[in-house]
């Protein structure tokens, strides 16, 4: 993380913020997971929202949301992360390469482990838009979008001191994550809680990766 991409004046604050985001998002994921396991009120909202969207689905909207979800499948996201990493490598931003690849590829592995742990069945319809046999919680597409757009946003924010640009970058990343998450619910692949859990999972994992890489950078710099 070169000068300008990693603030040097308040390293303790950055580390504390990263750990705080990790802790809060991990707790959020735990709360959502508990609701899923115990079939608490959030599950009722899950069923109602999923059923309403399925009932009101239209061909044009379906085409749009199918396109959104398709370009955020595992292979496109993996290729995008690879391309971003290569770009950063050529710029000799080696610590950011580690942050991107750990966040995205490590997040994919973590999501697979969580799916196997919860083994939640996907929404079921008599006339499904798409049929999947894998597990539902948490949403893999949403988690991958969260880690990819999140870590890219973190990099871009670190490159500018302009507050308006920083806010715009964060809002754009949030919008892209929301679009991917909604596409999964609309298409009947996931429940709302799957998407919310994936966002919490992705933010927790990404913040942990960024904090770990930043810690290594600080140690190398001071040695």
């Amino acid at each position: 993380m070169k000068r300008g991409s990693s603030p040097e004046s308040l390293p303790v604050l950055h580390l504390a913020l990263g750990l705080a985001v990790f802790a809060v998002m991990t707790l959020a994921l735990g709360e959502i997971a508990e609701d899923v396991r115990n079939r608490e009120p959030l599950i009722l909202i899950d069923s109602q929202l999923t059923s309403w969207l399925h009932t009101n689905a239209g061909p044009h909207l379906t085409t749009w949301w199918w396109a959104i979800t398709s370009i955020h499948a595992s292979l496109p996201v993996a290729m995008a992360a690879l391309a971003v990493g290569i770009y950063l490598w050529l710029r000799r931003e080696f610590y950011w390469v580690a942050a991107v690849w750990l966040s995205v590829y490590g997040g994919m592995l973590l999501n697979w482990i969580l799916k196997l742990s919860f083994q939640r069945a996907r929404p079921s319809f008599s006339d499904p838009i798409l049929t999947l046999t894998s597990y539902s919680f948490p949403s893999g597409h949403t988690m991958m979008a969260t880690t990819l757009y999140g870590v890219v946003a973190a990099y871009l924010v670190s490159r500018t001191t302009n507050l308006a640009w920083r806010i715009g970058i964060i809002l754009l990343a949030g919008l892209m994550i929301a679009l991917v998450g909604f596409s999964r619910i609309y298409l009947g692949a996931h429940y709302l809680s799957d998407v919310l859990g994936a966002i919490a999972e992705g933010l927790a994992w990404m913040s942990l990766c960024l904090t770990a890489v930043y810690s290594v950078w600080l140690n190398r710099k001071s040695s």
Side-chain angles (χ1 to χ4, degrees), residues 69-83:
T69 208
S70 295
I71 61 178
H72 291 90
S74 297
L75 182 58
V77 170
M79 295 301 294
L82 179 63

Side-chain angles (χ1 to χ4, degrees), residues 7 31 66 77 125 136 139 143 148 150 154 206:
E31 288 295 324
W66 186 275
V77 170
F125 302 98
S136 186
S139 165
M143 184 282 307
L148 177 62
M206 182 194 70

